[in-house]
Amino acid sequence: MSLQVKFALWVLLILTASVACLGYGIYGSRRVLASAQEARLRSFVALETANGLIKTVDETRDLFLQILNEQDGSLMESVAEHESAFQALVDSLKVRGEGEELDAIQRDYATYTNDGKLLLARFIKDKNLDAVRKQASQIGPLARALNERISGYRRFQERRFQGSLRIIESHAQRLSALSMAVGGILILCVLGMMLWLGTVLRPIRTLTRYVQSLRDGDLESALTIAKRSDEIFVLQTGFEEMRLALKAHVTDLETKVRERTRSLELAQKEIHDVFQSIEQGIFTFAVADIALSPQASRRTTMLFGVETLAGVSLAELLRLSPEQESQLREWVKMIAHPSRVRHWAYFKRLFPLKELWVEAGGITRCLQLDCQPILTEGILTRVMILATDITATRQMEKQLDLERQQKTDFLDYVNALLAAEPGEIKEFLDDVGGIVANLRELPRARWQGHGEWIRGRAHTLKGLAGMFGLHPLTRILHAIENDLEQAGKEMGELADPPPTWVSRLEHELANIEGVRHRIYGKYETSLPVNRDRYEALLADLKNGELREPDKVLKRVLRLKVRSFEEHCRKYRYLVEHYRGFSDKRVEDLEIGHPMDAVDDGPMEACHECIVHLIRNALDHGLEDRVEQERLGKKGRICIDHSQEEAWFVLLVSDNGRGVDADAVTSAAVAQGVVSEADAAAMTQEQKCDLIFREGVTTRHRVNEYSGRGLGLHVVREQMEHLGGRVEVISEPGQGSVFRLRIPL
């Protein structure tokens, strides 16, 4: 039998005894209480009623005497009231089961009252007092006998009450005896359970000591297993099996630890090899005395040009000046405090040697230094330095700075060339070029004695360059002037100026000429431009809104008044591209009045409209290949322009099928753009005008060029936005002409 079953049986036995004792105690207490209550109630009521009967008899007798003495017959009605009260008392006792005795009392009382009433009636009638008294002597014993009978009934009730009390006492004694018996049973159950627990706890304590020995590492001591049929036996067997398994596992673990130790040694060697092959220089120094550790990556010795760090100080390794070494020592003092480690990110930013230029093996490198803390039990003991070669990065940044400077110089030159008269700029550049050519051709033997003249010319050219706003050339001339002055102080007289002076001037003049040529092109001293754009460009340059050279050059080139052909040349690729898209036969884009000078403004404003109109003409206007061959036609698209007073007029035409007004109207009705009634009332011109409505298209399938009903709608919206208008003139079989009118 298992421990759980045994324990459950003991608990069940104790609970049963407890519930039985408690239940019987509650039941017995209620019975005793009810019996006592009932006996008290019945006895009290009977005694009180008996007293009431005696009182009623006495009151009846007194009433008879009163009537006799007062000779008042009207009081006879009160006798009836006493009879009713007596009858009510008797009835209340009958309800509680006292029938026979009460019937006898009631009969005696009735006889007594009847005789009394007869006696009084005779007395009232005959007025014979003697006869009445004689008769009364016979009624008096009846009253006494009635009182005696009622008193006997009262004594009977008292005896009955005493008997009930004896019964209640008997019940209480039995309840007490039963409670003592149940209590004894409970005590025996508890004692039995304690004995059973003792048999369970002893082996458990043994198991506890055994487990303690296992925890202390004793895997050799075996557990003595007692044969039992409960869980204790299972625990003992399980712990012993666990000991044997743990012993085997420990043995296996020791073997694995030895193997793992060998693996870690190999891994440590591999880490050391990786550390030596890493691309960063890594080394450490002590916080206490800033002494270098001899352990360092191989890259460290290469970057700093030393064979080993042994015997080398940190200042010697990093080539620190006395001021830099002092700053480093101050920083180390700051981080040496234990509380500073929590704020390492802040103190890392204060590291004074973030970047150093170091010369090693004839090579100068730019090294970026990073520092990381090394903690021992939470205390900063060493600092690790990671040195990264960023020479290539710095050289690239230098090149980017040079390119940025070149862009700035370009902007300065554009500003200067646009602000000055082209003829004056050209004259100045010619003068500078002549001086440079003379210096280049001047024999070295004749440099002697010309130092002052050369410096004077450089100073004059610097002033002129500043006047024209050629600031980069001004800086170069200023630097040359300083170099010439310094050379004169050192040598007394200029003997052999470095040839780089002349080369620098020639190179800068070439830059200025290149910018000037890109701006003026074939024009030497003048450039026809749009005045409003020219003034807007100057304002943007002065305000600093234009800085990128490409954007500045683009704005400058837009100042030119170009021919109509130059404006329309870019649209030819649309026709060329469509030839690869469709099998239609299309000639090259025809440009009317190609050499007319046209301002950029209207052409740029109409750019998107022109694209949509050409695409529409290609895909909608021209017939397909089969129809073209049948008609013997070849597709042709022409773009032309004219000016009507204050309007710039642009014409895009084709020689295709023309606009089918009925087909356009049917498409508009089918797509819900107009109703059938409205369509029926339209003129031919209004029907043609439906092609500019959004969503109207005669294409049943969408392709790359058309089918969405948006292109011509965009054209109308754009023209309305510009304050102009678009109209179409079409003749079936002959083609269409789209006429754009833009206000100048």
Side-chain angles (χ1 to χ4, degrees):
M1 187 180 296
S2 65
L3 292 175
Q4 293 180 346
V5 175
K6 291 179 181 179
F7 184 75
L9 289 176
W10 279 109
V11 171
L12 181 61
L13 181 60
I14 294 174
L15 287 177
T16 302
S18 301
V19 170
C21 181
L22 181 61
Y24 185 76
I26 294 173
Y27 171 74
S29 299
R30 290 182 176 178
R31 285 294 305 275
V32 170
L33 182 61
S35 299
Q37 185 71 17
E38 182 181 2
R40 182 168 61 253
L41 181 60
R42 293 185 62 181
S43 299
F44 177 76
V45 172
L47 293 176
E48 289 296 323
T49 306
N51 291 334
L53 291 175
I54 294 172
K55 181 179 179 182
T56 303
V57 171
D58 292 340
E59 289 177 352
T60 304
R61 185 192 61 198
D62 294 339
L63 184 60
F64 283 160
L65 293 176
Q66 184 180 359
I67 294 171
L68 184 61
N69 292 331
E70 296 180 2
Q71 300 180 6
D72 185 3
S74 62
L75 296 176
M76 290 297 290
E77 295 178 359
S78 299
V79 176
E81 294 177 0
H82 283 77
E83 287 178 341
S84 298
F86 191 87
Q87 182 64 37
L89 291 173
V90 170
D91 291 341
S92 66
L93 290 175
K94 285 182 178 181
V95 174
R96 301 182 178 276
E98 306 295 339
E100 296 179 358
E101 183 65 23
L102 291 174
D103 288 341
I105 293 173
Q106 187 176 7
R107 286 195 300 271
D108 290 346
Y109 181 73
T111 302
Y112 171 67
T113 54
N114 289 334
D115 290 347
K117 287 189 291 184
L118 289 175
L119 177 63
L120 292 174
R122 183 180 297 173
F123 168 71
I124 295 170
K125 181 179 180 182
D126 297 339
K127 304 296 183 178
N128 190 352
L129 183 58
D130 293 333
V132 172
R133 288 179 178 173
K134 182 179 179 181
Q135 188 68 27
S137 62
Q138 296 176 358
I139 297 174
L142 290 176
R144 288 191 294 273
L146 180 58
N147 285 333
E148 187 63 31
R149 183 179 289 275
I150 293 172
S151 299
Y153 175 77
R154 179 178 181 181
R155 287 191 295 274
F156 170 74
Q157 291 298 332
E158 290 178 351
R159 288 193 301 273
R160 190 176 184 182
F161 176 68
Q162 293 298 328
S164 298
L165 291 178
R166 285 193 295 270
I167 293 172
I168 292 170
E169 183 179 356
S170 174
H171 283 308
Q173 290 176 354
R174 286 198 299 271
L175 179 61
S176 176
L178 182 60
S179 299
M180 292 179 63
V182 174
I185 293 172
L186 287 175
I187 292 173
L188 292 176
C189 290
V190 172
L191 291 175
M193 189 173 181
M194 291 177 64
L195 293 174
W196 174 75
L197 287 175
T199 62
V200 173
L201 292 175
R202 279 193 296 273
I204 289 178
R205 284 194 292 270
T206 303
L207 282 175
T208 302
R209 290 192 295 271
Y210 179 71
V211 172
Q212 182 68 31
S213 65
L214 289 179
R215 190 182 66 180
D216 294 339
D218 184 7
L219 301 178
E220 303 298 331
S221 301
L223 177 65
T224 302
I225 301 176
K227 292 185 177 181
R228 299 170 63 98
S229 60
D230 53 17
E231 286 84 349
I232 299 297
F233 177 75
V234 176
L235 285 174
Q236 291 175 339
T237 306
F239 273 113
E240 182 61 18
E241 292 175 354
M242 183 182 69
R243 181 187 68 83
L244 297 176
L246 187 61
K247 182 178 179 181
H249 181 69
V250 169
T251 303
D252 182 62
L253 187 62
E254 290 175 349
T255 303
K256 291 182 178 180
V257 167
R258 288 192 294 271
E259 294 175 355
R260 185 61 176 169
T261 301
R262 289 194 296 271
S263 300
L264 288 175
E265 291 175 352
L266 293 175
Q268 186 176 7
K269 184 178 182 301
E270 292 176 358
I271 292 173
H272 180 268
D273 294 341
V274 171
F275 181 73
Q276 293 301 324
S277 61
I278 199 168
E279 289 300 320
Q280 286 180 309
I282 301 177
F283 57 93
T284 64
F285 66 87
V287 175
D289 54 0
I290 318 184
L292 281 173
S293 170
Q295 299 293 333
S297 66
R298 186 175 302 166
R299 182 71 172 172
T300 302
T301 58
M302 189 273 290
L303 290 176
F304 293 96
V306 295
E307 295 182 359
T308 178
L309 299 189
V312 179
S313 68
L314 184 60
E316 293 173 346
L317 180 70
L318 301 180
R319 280 75 164 175
L320 300 181
S321 65
E323 182 181 358
Q324 290 175 321
E325 183 177 4
S326 175
Q327 292 175 352
L328 177 62
R329 290 186 179 277
E330 290 296 327
W331 180 78
V332 172
K333 288 181 181 179
M334 284 194 299
I335 65 171
H337 196 278
S339 63
R340 304 291 169 80
V341 180
R342 296 194 300 269
H343 308 287
W344 178 258
Y346 169 75
F347 288 100
K348 180 180 178 179
R349 292 196 296 268
L350 300 179
F351 184 59
L353 307 175
K354 293 184 177 66
E355 195 171 300
L356 290 175
W357 287 89
V358 177
E359 191 278 330
I363 300 175
T364 302
R365 294 183 177 90
C366 181
L367 301 181
Q368 184 182 56
L369 304 184
D370 187 20
C371 55
Q372 296 295 334
I374 299 177
L375 306 180
T376 303
E377 296 181 356
I379 299 175
L380 180 65
T381 56
R382 306 190 69 81
V383 175
M384 179 173 64
I385 301 297
L386 292 84
T388 305
D389 187 357
I390 58 171
T391 306
T393 302
R394 290 294 175 262
Q395 291 175 348
M396 185 178 298
E397 291 175 352
K398 185 177 180 181
Q399 180 64 29
L400 291 175
D401 291 338
L402 178 60
E403 292 177 0
R404 282 195 292 268
Q405 185 61 47
Q406 290 175 350
K407 290 181 180 180
T408 303
D409 294 347
F410 178 84
L411 292 176
D412 288 341
Y413 286 147
V414 169
N415 276 316
L417 293 175
L418 291 177
E421 290 292 335
E424 295 179 355
I425 286 289
K426 185 176 185 305
E427 182 180 354
F428 167 72
L429 294 178
D430 290 342
D431 290 343
V432 176
I435 294 173
V436 171
N438 291 334
L439 290 175
R440 173 67 70 183
E441 295 173 359
L442 187 67
R444 289 192 174 184
R446 297 186 59 188
W447 283 82
Q448 181 69 28
H450 289 79
E452 287 295 332
W453 178 81
I454 294 174
R455 284 196 293 270
R457 294 302 299 161
H459 185 74
T460 301
L461 292 176
K462 182 180 73 172
L464 292 174
M467 180 185 69
F468 285 112
L470 301 172
H471 302 301
L473 180 60
T474 302
R475 288 194 299 271
I476 292 174
L477 290 169
H478 182 71
I480 292 175
E481 186 180 12
N482 290 338
D483 292 342
L484 290 171
E485 184 178 358
Q486 185 65 29
K489 290 180 179 179
E490 293 177 356
M491 296 180 293
E493 186 60 43
L494 189 61
D496 190 9
T500 55
W501 297 348
V502 178
S503 299
R504 287 172 66 185
L505 283 175
E506 290 176 339
H507 175 73
E508 202 62 30
L509 288 175
N511 290 339
I512 299 174
E513 283 292 341
V515 176
R516 193 175 75 87
H517 181 72
R518 292 179 69 180
I519 293 176
Y520 295 106
K522 62 183 179 179
Y523 303 99
E524 281 294 322
T525 60
S526 63
L527 177 67
V529 297
N530 182 288
R531 174 172 292 277
D532 293 336
R533 294 184 191 178
Y534 173 71
E535 293 177 354
L537 176 60
L538 288 181
D540 290 343
L541 290 171
K542 291 178 181 178
N543 297 334
E545 296 182 5
L546 283 178
R547 295 184 179 276
E548 293 295 328
D550 294 339
K551 293 182 180 180
V552 174
L553 183 60
K554 184 177 180 181
R555 289 282 297 275
V556 171
L557 294 177
R558 285 176 57 189
L559 294 174
K560 298 179 180 179
V561 178
R562 294 181 288 169
S563 67
F564 187 61
E565 182 183 14
E566 289 177 318
H567 284 292
C568 297
R569 194 178 297 151
K570 56 188 173 184
Y571 301 119
R572 286 176 173 166
Y573 88 94
L574 291 173
V575 178
E576 296 172 0
H577 180 270
Y578 189 77
R579 288 197 189 105
F581 172 78
S582 174
D583 60 351
K584 295 180 181 181
R585 297 188 300 178
V586 187
E587 295 179 353
D588 291 339
L589 180 67
E590 182 179 337
I591 301 174
H593 302 92
M595 300 310 297
D596 287 357
V598 178
D599 186 51
D600 286 355
M603 294 301 297
E604 290 180 359
C606 295
H607 171 66
E608 293 184 8
C609 298
I610 296 171
V611 172
H612 286 299
L613 290 175
I614 293 176
R615 287 164 62 92
N616 181 77
L618 289 169
D619 207 46
H620 281 285
L622 301 181
E623 298 91 342
D624 57 24
R625 181 66 175 266
V626 176
E627 187 70 13
Q628 286 179 335
E629 291 178 352
R630 187 181 68 82
L631 297 174
K633 293 174 62 175
K634 192 172 184 181
R636 178 177 55 81
I637 297 175
C638 177
I639 182 170
D640 201 350
H641 76 97
S642 65
Q643 184 170 342
E644 299 175 0
E645 296 180 355
W647 296 88
F648 177 78
V649 180
L650 193 68
L651 303 173
V652 178
S653 60
D654 65 79
N655 66 339
R657 61 171 64 94
V659 178
D660 188 345
D662 294 333
V664 172
T665 305
S666 299
V669 172
Q671 292 154 10
V673 177
V674 295
S675 64
E676 293 184 1
D678 293 339
M682 286 182 176
T683 63
Q684 198 71 8
E685 183 179 353
Q686 290 174 333
K687 290 180 180 180
C688 289
D689 196 63
L690 289 174
I691 62 176
F692 296 106
R693 302 285 290 273
E694 183 178 5
V696 176
T697 178
T698 56
R699 284 285 182 194
H700 299 293
R701 289 192 303 174
V702 177
N703 61 28
E704 181 181 343
Y705 277 78
S706 62
R708 302 184 187 275
L710 292 176
L712 296 182
H713 174 69
V714 172
V715 172
R716 169 159 286 182
E717 280 194 340
Q718 183 69 17
M719 294 307 298
E720 290 177 351
H721 177 72
L722 294 173
R725 63 176 180 266
V726 58
E727 55 189 21
V728 58
I729 303 171
S730 180
E731 184 176 351
Q734 300 299 319
S736 303
V737 178
F738 288 87
R739 196 164 183 266
L740 306 179
R741 289 168 56 86
I742 305 101
L744 295 175

